[in-house]
Amino acid sequence: MTSEGTKTIKTRFCIISDTHTAKLWPSSDKSHAYRSPLPSADVLLHAGDITMIGYVSEYKSMIDMLAQADAELKIVIAGNHDVTLDGPYYEKIGKRKFHRNFGEDLKVVRDIWTGQEAKKAGIVYLDEGVRTFKLSNGASFTIYASPYQPEFCNFAFGYRRDEDRFNQKAQNPVPGWPNIDIMLTHGPPAGILDETRHGDKVGCEHLLRATRRCRPRLHCFGHIHEGWGAQRTNWVKEHSEILPLDRQQVLSDCCAYVNLSKDNKTEFTAGSRDPLTFGEETLFVNAAIMDVDYKPVNAPWRVDLDLPVAGQAEG
């Protein structure tokens, strides 16, 4: 948990996932929450499935959209549909499966996300692993990112369900508490916002075990479109609640809003007003913009959390 002497700074996140190249609806279209502009924030998080099938034109379209977002830092990971960002998979399977008549240049794809245009727009593309960022508001956070999820229809970034790529013996294991503030994965952990329209819970057991061990402040993901929502989990009390939402308010605000900072004076926020306790609680967010029929009807998330001031240790 956060020690008494640790100073924190309220920091705002805009969270989206599974955009599948969908452009924002115009600001005049009040019937859709996913409309221009995206909610302003200190940090924007995109949890993968940027595109439908990894074409260069799709990536360029999404770069253009993210460049317009009002956020100092925009962190992006890939998902199973972003087949050209998983090089070994694409060369072995993806090119033949999805781009039979021609193949995309993987270097061009990579350069789109790591080149000067992306950097100028504040976009940072993350492969699997750990990274620490400092923000201009004085806050600092450490994030674990992974585009992988249990194998799905022979798409990209897949692994066998019996494979544990998140715990101690993995190549890039999730560090234990208190080393990670945010987890950003494409797939959900088992039993958390992971239920399909057929009633199957398809999240990863190994990822759940890693998240329980890590206890981040925030864990964002997508992949399961039907699972859009937010859940607050108290690891100590072994209690979880799905945060209730006022759908009309979400539509009006162009986002679902959760304020779990100490500075919570906002009238419209989902769930409890008590600030999140680091080390005891995690806020889970499934931010899939698309519904199960691939229509961009779900809202972005705007989340306020307290982050430690840069240069301080917590424990």
Side-chain angles (χ1 to χ4, degrees), residues 82-306:
D82 304 314
V83 296
T84 42
L85 282 167
D86 186 349
Y89 161 84
Y90 187 69
E91 294 294 357
K92 185 178 179 181
I93 299 170
K95 185 188 296 185
R96 184 177 68 255
K97 181 178 174 70
F98 299 110
H99 300 161
R100 183 178 295 274
N101 294 328
F102 66 93
E104 295 285 25
D105 187 322
L106 299 186
K107 185 180 184 302
V108 169
V109 169
R110 188 80 182 182
D111 286 348
I112 288 172
W113 290 102
T114 60
Q116 288 304 311
E117 185 179 349
K119 290 177 182 177
K120 186 178 178 180
I123 297 169
V124 177
Y125 176 80
L126 293 183
D127 295 305
E128 186 175 70
V130 176
R131 184 94 173 262
T132 297
F133 295 92
K134 294 180 181 179
L135 302 174
S136 61
N137 69 357
S140 172
F141 67 94
T142 300
I143 186 169
Y144 173 87
S146 177
Y148 291 89
Q149 72 287 304
E151 191 174 29
F152 177 76
C153 297
N154 210 15
F155 274 63
F157 297 106
Y159 57 86
R160 301 186 318 273
R161 281 204 172 264
D162 62 355
E163 177 187 348
D164 183 358
R165 64 178 302 121
F166 300 111
N167 292 290
Q168 282 82 351
K169 295 182 179 180
Q171 183 178 352
N172 295 301
V174 178
W177 184 81
N179 296 300
I180 299 295
D181 297 292
I182 298 167
M183 289 178 65
L184 181 65
T185 62
H186 182 56
I192 299 177
L193 306 170
D194 68 337
E195 187 171 335
T196 71
R197 61 179 167 183
H198 303 296
D200 299 319
K201 292 183 180 294
V202 295
C204 177
E205 292 282 355
H206 302 296
L207 182 57
L208 175 62
R209 195 154 52 86
T211 308
R212 183 183 290 115
R213 182 171 50 76
C214 176
R215 299 188 179 191
R217 305 169 195 272
L218 175 66
H219 185 175
C220 312
F221 48 86
H223 190 45
I224 306 305
H225 298 183
E226 308 96 300
W228 181 91
Q231 175 179 309
R232 184 175 185 173
T233 292
N234 188 306
W235 302 105
V236 176
K237 296 179 180 178
E238 297 184 345
H239 173 75
S240 296
E241 67 161 332
I242 300 292
L243 301 190
L245 292 167
D246 181 330
R247 291 284 177 167
Q248 286 303 117
Q249 191 65 46
V250 169
L251 199 58
S252 174
D253 292 346
C254 305
C255 65
Y257 178 42
V258 181
N259 188 347
L260 294 182
S261 72
K262 295 173 184 174
D263 178 21
N264 186 348
K265 301 174 183 177
T266 308
E267 182 178 354
F268 300 110
T269 181
S272 169
R273 292 178 178 273
D274 296 332
L276 183 137
T277 303
F278 182 46
E280 293 184 10
E281 297 180 284
T282 296
L283 175 68
F284 293 94
V285 175
N286 180 327
I289 292 299
M290 293 290 192
D291 67 7
V292 71
D293 296 315
Y294 286 83
K295 295 178 181 177
V297 299
N298 293 328
W301 287 85
R302 186 175 68 193
V303 174
D304 289 342
L305 291 173
D306 295 317

Side-chain angles (χ1 to χ4, degrees), residues 20-40:
H20 293 288
T21 322
K23 294 182 179 179
L24 293 162
W25 294 94
S27 57
S28 58
D29 187 345
K30 306 300 183 184
S31 64
H32 290 92
Y34 181 65
R35 64 181 186 268
S36 182
L38 286 168
S40 61

